[in-house]
Amino acid sequence: MLKRLTVKGRMNIINISILALFVTMVTFSVWNSNGVKEMGIEKTGEVMLADQKARIQLASHAAALMAEAALAGVTDEAEVKPTVRRLVDKVIYEADRSGYYFIYEGTTAVAFPVAKDKVGKDLGGVTDKNGVKVIQALRDKARAGGGFVQYIWPNPGAGDQPKLSYAEMIPGSSMWIGTGVYLDNIEAYQNQMAAEIGSMVSK
C-alpha cells in the first residue's frame, strides 16, 4: 500500500505518526504527573496529621503529670479544682492563640481558659454539626487510657473548622485533661502544594 503513495504522502504518514506519538507521550506524562501530585499531597497530609497527633498527645500527657504533681501536696478538697485551674488558665499557645488546655470531671468543666463562663457547667450535651458529642467522647477516651477525637469546632475569626483533641486522666484524680489543634492548616498547606505542583505540570 505504501508503494502506491507518493513521497509526500509517505512523509505525511510519518509526520502524523510522530505527532500521535508525541501527543500520547505528553498525555501520559501529564496523567502520571497528576497522579504523583495527588499521592504527594495525600502523603503530606498524613504526615502532618501524624505530627499533630504526636504533639498534642505529648502535651496532654505532660500536663496530666504536672497536674498530678501540683495536687500531691493539696489536702483541702476545696483547693483541688482551683489548683489545676491555675495550672492551665494562662497557658495559651499557637500563633493565633487557638491552643489551650481544658480540664473536666466527667462532663463538667473544671478549667476552660477561653470560655471561663462555662466552668462548673455540665457540657456533656455539646454536639458538633456532625453529631459528635464532643465532651462525652473525650471523657470516654480519657477513661479508656487516653485517645483522640476529631470533630468540628468554631475557631474565632475562621468559623467552624475541623479540630483534633487528645484527652487522658490526671493520675490519682477523677479529672481528665486535654488539648487540641485545628486541622485547617493541613488543608491550606495541601491546597498550596496542589497549586504549586499544578503550575509546574502545566508548564
Side-chain angles (χ1 to χ4, degrees):
M1 179 177 177
L2 290 176
K3 291 180 179 179
R4 298 177 183 174
L5 295 176
T6 63
V7 172
K8 183 177 180 181
R10 293 177 185 180
M11 290 300 297
N12 285 338
I13 290 176
I14 292 172
N15 288 335
I16 291 171
S17 298
I18 292 173
L19 179 61
L21 179 61
F22 177 74
V23 170
T24 300
M25 290 176 64
V26 170
T27 301
F28 176 76
S29 177
V30 172
W31 176 82
N32 191 51
S33 297
N34 283 328
V36 172
K37 178 186 75 172
E38 295 301 325
M39 182 166 40
I41 291 170
E42 181 181 349
K43 291 297 180 184
T44 298
E46 291 174 1
V47 170
M48 291 181 71
L49 180 59
D51 179 65
Q52 295 284 43
K53 281 187 171 183
R55 189 162 70 99
I56 62 174
Q57 182 176 9
L58 177 61
S60 296
H61 183 60
L65 295 180
M66 285 190 290
E68 178 189 23
L71 292 174
V74 178
T75 55
D76 184 356
E77 187 65 27
E79 277 300 308
V80 170
K81 291 177 182 177
T83 297
V84 294
R85 193 176 299 127
R86 285 193 294 271
L87 191 68
V88 301
D89 262 356
K90 293 184 180 180
V91 182
I92 305 292
Y93 61 96
E94 299 289 14
D96 60 357
R97 298 181 61 79
S98 64
Y100 56 90
Y101 289 98
F102 43 81
I103 300 175
Y104 284 79
E105 185 172 47
T107 55
T108 299
V110 173
F112 201 159
V114 297
K116 295 183 179 180
D117 57 309
K118 300 289 195 301
V119 171
K121 295 181 180 179
D122 188 336
L123 303 180
V126 172
T127 305
D128 80 348
K129 64 196 305 182
N130 294 327
V132 177
K133 291 190 176 299
V134 179
I135 308 305
Q136 288 187 33
L138 286 167
R139 174 204 61 192
D140 293 345
K141 291 291 185 180
R143 288 177 175 176
F148 299 94
V149 176
Q150 191 167 331
Y151 52 97
I152 304 298
W153 198 256
N155 186 0
D160 289 344
Q161 297 294 339
K163 189 172 186 179
L164 177 72
S165 289
Y166 181 88
E168 67 175 76
M169 298 300 298
I170 296 175
S173 80
S174 58
M175 296 175 289
W176 55 271
I177 187 169
T179 190
V181 289
Y182 288 97
L183 300 178
D184 52 323
N185 61 331
I186 295 180
E187 184 178 354
Y189 187 75
Q190 286 178 307
N191 290 338
Q192 180 184 342
M193 278 187 66
E196 291 176 356
I197 297 174
S199 176
M200 292 171 63
V201 171
S202 295
K203 289 180 182 179

